[in-house]
Amino acid sequence: MADITTSGPATRLVKPYRPPRAAAAHEWLRADPSFAHLGEQTRTLAALQDAVRRCLPGMPLTVVAFQGGRLVVGAAHAAVAAKMRQVEPSLIAALTRSGWVVESVRFKSHWQAPETGPARTLKPAPGASAIACVTALSEQVQHTQLRDALRRLAQRHGG
């Protein structure tokens, strides 16, 4: 229902704000004929992603492209890509059994930025009494390497 507001001599009709309806990406792609091919490609890649996950569970892989029987799969890093190249024939066979026509697979390694955690805080330096204890301990230790390490620790922290 619209609200009626008055502003001076004129009265105007104000419609309440309604946000646009959120539509799924595939609905939006289907609505425009020029994007119909893109919508089909996204559905294909999503289905292939599910098939690869079923064939190789737990592997950090992302289906990047599929065209003409050639599948391109992104790996989280080079070590994963190298391992996947070893199991390429098994993956092709498993995808073929699932109904996909895959002639070759190319594993592409790409770097992903590590997730940043909370900022690292430095521990406070040991107090003078702690350094004195380390120095006293270094005088009592018989083991040469341990004694030298304790002395270096005390010297590094002002002992």
Side-chain angles (χ1 to χ4, degrees), residues 15-69:
K15 292 182 180 180
Y17 172 75
R18 289 186 195 163
R21 184 177 80 80
H26 67 274
E27 289 177 17
W28 179 76
L29 291 172
R30 228 180 315 167
D32 189 348
S34 61
F35 291 118
H37 175 68
L38 183 59
E40 180 60 34
Q41 188 176 9
T42 58
R43 283 188 292 280
T44 300
L45 291 177
L48 262 169
Q49 180 69 46
D50 290 339
V52 168
R53 278 203 184 112
R54 282 191 303 275
C55 295
L56 299 168
M59 296 304 295
L61 301 172
T62 304
V63 173
V64 176
F66 181 65
Q67 188 174 17

